[in-house]
Amino acid sequence: MSAMKNAVLGLVIERPSERYRLAVDVRDRFGAGTTYVYWALDQLEGAGLVDRFDDRGHPVRRGVRCQRPTYRPTEQGIAHFDQWLSSSISEPSFRSDEVHIRLGLCRPRDVPGMIDQVLGQEQVCLGRIRDLKRLGEEQPPLGSSWSKTVEVLSRDAELAHWSSRLEWLQSVRGMLDRIPRDASVR
């Protein structure tokens, strides 16, 4: 399941809400488009991870239309989310940031696991930086051809990305290290 779909599930767990409220929360917290939320809620409901309830608190069966239903997590949904939050983070990419999503949804009890996740991501960044620097040492000097120049510029951009990400992850870990482990508030 995608990180953004898990983000929607996490927000439902955090505060059962109507579609529109969840869409606003996803937009405000993660900068994602609101139409995705509607699709994700349908998928989550189909997977048995969330249920819909009408304005009187009665369950609404799948496929039955309801004006402004409230989405609530199922026990299966909570278990799935907790498992996802504590699982290894997938390889970082330029397009999505699972670390950001998990940080936005973790609870104080999740901090030790998040620190481990961040450390793992730091190691990935260090590996990428090392590989890119080694590539730079093997590259022929600038001016040998346009394609080589473009390769060097592209490599340098990627190196800057991973270096910046590493710096951010280290600051995140520092902040997480300062959070009391017994904090009861979200």
Side-chain angles (χ1 to χ4, degrees), residues 133-184:
K133 285 183 176 179
R134 188 173 31 252
L135 255 176
E137 294 166 359
E138 298 168 3
Q139 290 279 341
L142 282 175
S144 59
S145 74
W146 175 247
S147 63
K148 288 296 179 189
T149 301
V150 170
E151 283 181 39
V152 169
L153 293 172
S154 179
R155 184 203 64 235
D156 288 351
E158 192 174 347
L159 182 60
H161 167 79
W162 292 114
S163 297
S164 174
R165 182 173 181 79
L166 176 63
E167 185 178 322
W168 175 74
L169 287 165
Q170 290 169 336
S171 74
V172 165
R173 186 168 40 87
M175 291 175 79
L176 291 175
D177 279 335
R178 292 189 295 275
I179 294 174
R181 297 307 185 263
D182 60 351
S184 60

Side-chain angles (χ1 to χ4, degrees), residues 1-151:
M1 184 178 299
S2 75
M4 280 308 297
K5 202 181 298 183
N6 280 306
V8 172
L9 177 58
L11 290 172
V12 170
I13 292 168
E14 189 177 285
R15 182 174 69 174
S17 302
E18 297 175 1
R19 284 179 183 240
Y20 175 76
R21 178 77 252 154
L22 291 164
V24 169
D25 287 348
V26 166
R27 183 197 65 217
D28 292 349
R29 198 177 294 185
F30 304 112
T34 57
T35 56
Y36 176 82
V37 173
Y38 302 124
W39 176 84
L41 285 167
D42 289 341
Q43 297 292 307
L44 292 168
E45 184 180 11
L49 303 177
V50 299
D51 285 327
R52 291 181 301 146
F53 292 83
D54 65 21
D55 58 356
R56 294 177 299 191
H58 298 121
V60 177
R61 287 191 329 238
R62 181 140 171 85
V64 174
R65 294 195 41 85
C66 175
Q67 287 276 347
R68 300 173 57 157
T70 297
Y71 288 81
R72 296 182 192 165
T74 63
E75 290 300 317
Q76 179 185 350
I78 293 169
H80 171 86
F81 179 78
D82 286 341
Q83 189 278 325
W84 169 76
L85 196 61
S86 64
S87 67
S88 295
I89 295 175
S90 62
E91 282 289 309
S93 73
F94 287 113
R95 285 185 274 142
S96 68
D97 193 348
E98 198 166 340
V99 174
H100 176 244
I101 292 169
R102 289 181 189 214
L103 284 169
L105 295 166
C106 76
R107 299 145 301 202
R109 72 174 191 218
D110 302 316
V111 167
M114 282 305 305
I115 290 171
D116 290 342
Q117 297 292 336
V118 170
L119 277 168
Q121 291 295 291
E122 287 179 40
Q123 293 304 310
V124 169
C125 289
L126 286 169
R128 296 271 171 91
I129 290 168
R130 223 178 356 261
D131 292 346
L132 289 165
K133 285 183 176 179
R134 188 173 31 252
L135 255 176
E137 294 166 359
E138 298 168 3
Q139 290 279 341
L142 282 175
S144 59
S145 74
W146 175 247
S147 63
K148 288 296 179 189
T149 301
V150 170
E151 283 181 39

